[in-house]
Short mmCIF file of all heavy atoms in Angstrom, two decimals:
data_model
loop_
_atom_site.label_atom_id
_atom_site.label_comp_id
_atom_site.label_asym_id
_atom_site.label_seq_id
_atom_site.Cartn_x
_atom_site.Cartn_y
_atom_site.Cartn_z
N VAL A 8 19.01 -1.18 -9.37
CA VAL A 8 17.84 -0.52 -8.82
C VAL A 8 17.67 -0.85 -7.35
O VAL A 8 17.27 -0.04 -6.56
CB VAL A 8 16.56 -0.94 -9.60
CG1 VAL A 8 15.32 -0.48 -8.89
CG2 VAL A 8 16.61 -0.38 -10.99
N VAL A 43 -10.47 -3.73 4.89
CA VAL A 43 -10.85 -5.11 5.10
C VAL A 43 -12.33 -5.21 5.44
O VAL A 43 -12.88 -4.36 6.12
CB VAL A 43 -10.03 -5.74 6.26
CG1 VAL A 43 -10.45 -7.16 6.48
CG2 VAL A 43 -8.58 -5.66 5.94
N GLY A 50 -29.64 -4.60 1.40
CA GLY A 50 -31.06 -4.52 1.62
C GLY A 50 -31.70 -5.90 1.52
O GLY A 50 -32.88 -6.02 1.26
N ASP A 87 -2.25 6.29 -13.44
CA ASP A 87 -1.06 6.85 -14.06
C ASP A 87 -1.27 6.80 -15.57
O ASP A 87 -1.09 5.76 -16.18
CB ASP A 87 0.17 6.06 -13.64
CG ASP A 87 1.46 6.66 -14.17
OD1 ASP A 87 1.39 7.57 -14.98
OD2 ASP A 87 2.52 6.20 -13.76
N LYS A 104 -17.95 6.25 -11.78
CA LYS A 104 -18.88 7.17 -11.16
C LYS A 104 -18.40 8.61 -11.36
O LYS A 104 -19.17 9.51 -11.63
CB LYS A 104 -19.05 6.85 -9.66
CG LYS A 104 -19.84 5.56 -9.42
CD LYS A 104 -20.03 5.30 -7.95
CE LYS A 104 -21.03 4.17 -7.73
NZ LYS A 104 -22.42 4.55 -8.05
N TRP A 105 -17.10 8.82 -11.17
CA TRP A 105 -16.48 10.10 -11.50
C TRP A 105 -14.97 9.91 -11.60
O TRP A 105 -14.44 8.89 -11.16
CB TRP A 105 -16.82 11.21 -10.50
CG TRP A 105 -16.55 10.94 -9.04
CD1 TRP A 105 -17.46 10.59 -8.07
CD2 TRP A 105 -15.28 11.00 -8.34
NE1 TRP A 105 -16.84 10.42 -6.85
CE2 TRP A 105 -15.51 10.69 -6.98
CE3 TRP A 105 -13.98 11.29 -8.74
CZ2 TRP A 105 -14.49 10.65 -6.02
CZ3 TRP A 105 -12.95 11.26 -7.80
CH2 TRP A 105 -13.22 10.95 -6.46
N VAL A 119 -10.58 7.45 2.60
CA VAL A 119 -11.94 7.95 2.48
C VAL A 119 -12.55 8.01 3.90
O VAL A 119 -12.72 6.99 4.55
CB VAL A 119 -12.80 7.06 1.58
CG1 VAL A 119 -14.18 7.64 1.38
CG2 VAL A 119 -12.12 6.86 0.23
N ASN A 121 -15.59 10.20 6.21
CA ASN A 121 -16.71 11.15 6.32
C ASN A 121 -17.08 11.77 4.98
O ASN A 121 -17.33 12.97 4.87
CB ASN A 121 -16.36 12.26 7.34
CG ASN A 121 -16.20 11.72 8.74
OD1 ASN A 121 -16.82 10.73 9.11
ND2 ASN A 121 -15.35 12.38 9.53
N GLY A 122 -17.13 10.92 3.96
CA GLY A 122 -17.58 11.38 2.67
C GLY A 122 -16.57 12.20 1.89
O GLY A 122 -16.93 12.85 0.90
N ALA A 149 2.20 20.91 -1.24
CA ALA A 149 3.19 20.37 -0.31
C ALA A 149 4.61 20.73 -0.70
O ALA A 149 5.52 20.58 0.09
CB ALA A 149 3.03 18.86 -0.25
N GLY A 171 10.74 15.78 2.27
CA GLY A 171 11.15 15.33 3.59
C GLY A 171 10.32 15.81 4.74
O GLY A 171 10.66 15.58 5.91
N VAL A 172 9.19 16.45 4.44
CA VAL A 172 8.34 17.01 5.51
C VAL A 172 7.14 16.11 5.76
O VAL A 172 6.47 15.66 4.82
CB VAL A 172 7.88 18.44 5.14
CG1 VAL A 172 6.94 18.99 6.23
CG2 VAL A 172 9.07 19.36 4.96
N GLY A 186 4.26 21.11 10.32
CA GLY A 186 5.08 20.39 9.38
C GLY A 186 6.44 20.14 10.00
O GLY A 186 7.03 21.07 10.59
N SER A 194 8.54 8.67 1.20
CA SER A 194 7.57 7.99 0.35
C SER A 194 6.79 6.95 1.13
O SER A 194 5.79 6.41 0.66
CB SER A 194 8.24 7.35 -0.86
OG SER A 194 9.23 6.42 -0.47
N VAL A 204 2.26 9.65 15.56
CA VAL A 204 2.39 9.43 14.12
C VAL A 204 3.70 8.67 13.88
O VAL A 204 4.77 9.14 14.29
CB VAL A 204 2.43 10.76 13.35
CG1 VAL A 204 2.58 10.52 11.85
CG2 VAL A 204 1.20 11.59 13.64
N ALA A 219 -0.33 15.79 17.90
CA ALA A 219 -0.89 17.14 18.11
C ALA A 219 0.09 18.23 17.74
O ALA A 219 -0.31 19.28 17.24
CB ALA A 219 -1.32 17.29 19.57
N ARG A 237 4.98 1.04 5.14
CA ARG A 237 4.20 1.83 6.09
C ARG A 237 4.19 1.09 7.42
O ARG A 237 3.86 -0.10 7.48
CB ARG A 237 2.76 1.99 5.58
CG ARG A 237 1.86 2.82 6.46
CD ARG A 237 0.45 2.91 5.85
NE ARG A 237 -0.24 4.11 6.23
CZ ARG A 237 -1.29 4.61 5.61
NH1 ARG A 237 -1.78 3.99 4.55
NH2 ARG A 237 -1.86 5.74 6.01
N ALA A 239 3.15 -0.69 10.78
CA ALA A 239 1.94 -1.29 11.34
C ALA A 239 2.10 -1.31 12.85
O ALA A 239 3.18 -1.65 13.34
CB ALA A 239 1.72 -2.69 10.78
N VAL A 245 5.77 -1.59 16.83
CA VAL A 245 5.78 -1.01 15.50
C VAL A 245 6.53 -1.96 14.57
O VAL A 245 7.69 -2.29 14.83
CB VAL A 245 6.50 0.36 15.51
CG1 VAL A 245 6.51 0.98 14.12
CG2 VAL A 245 5.87 1.31 16.53
N ASN A 269 15.79 -11.11 8.96
CA ASN A 269 16.43 -10.87 7.67
C ASN A 269 15.62 -11.56 6.58
O ASN A 269 15.54 -12.80 6.54
CB ASN A 269 17.86 -11.41 7.68
CG ASN A 269 18.66 -10.91 6.48
OD1 ASN A 269 18.11 -10.62 5.43
ND2 ASN A 269 19.96 -10.83 6.64
N GLY A 272 16.24 -9.95 1.05
CA GLY A 272 16.10 -9.02 -0.07
C GLY A 272 15.49 -7.73 0.44
O GLY A 272 14.94 -7.68 1.57
N ALA A 276 7.55 -3.45 0.81
CA ALA A 276 6.13 -3.65 1.11
C ALA A 276 5.88 -3.30 2.57
O ALA A 276 6.79 -3.20 3.39
CB ALA A 276 5.72 -5.09 0.83
N TYR A 286 2.67 -10.62 8.27
CA TYR A 286 2.79 -11.06 6.89
C TYR A 286 3.44 -9.93 6.08
O TYR A 286 2.96 -8.80 6.09
CB TYR A 286 1.41 -11.39 6.30
CG TYR A 286 0.68 -12.47 7.03
CD1 TYR A 286 -0.24 -12.16 8.04
CD2 TYR A 286 0.90 -13.81 6.76
CE1 TYR A 286 -0.91 -13.13 8.74
CE2 TYR A 286 0.22 -14.82 7.47
CZ TYR A 286 -0.68 -14.46 8.45
OH TYR A 286 -1.34 -15.45 9.16
N GLY A 322 -8.73 -16.42 7.26
CA GLY A 322 -7.70 -17.43 7.14
C GLY A 322 -6.98 -17.49 5.82
O GLY A 322 -6.32 -18.48 5.52
#
Side-chain angles (χ1 to χ4, degrees):
V8 170
V43 179
D87 184 351
K104 289 183 169 289
W105 54 258
V119 184
N121 295 330
V172 177
S194 58
V204 179
R237 182 180 208 162
V245 180
N269 193 333
Y286 301 94

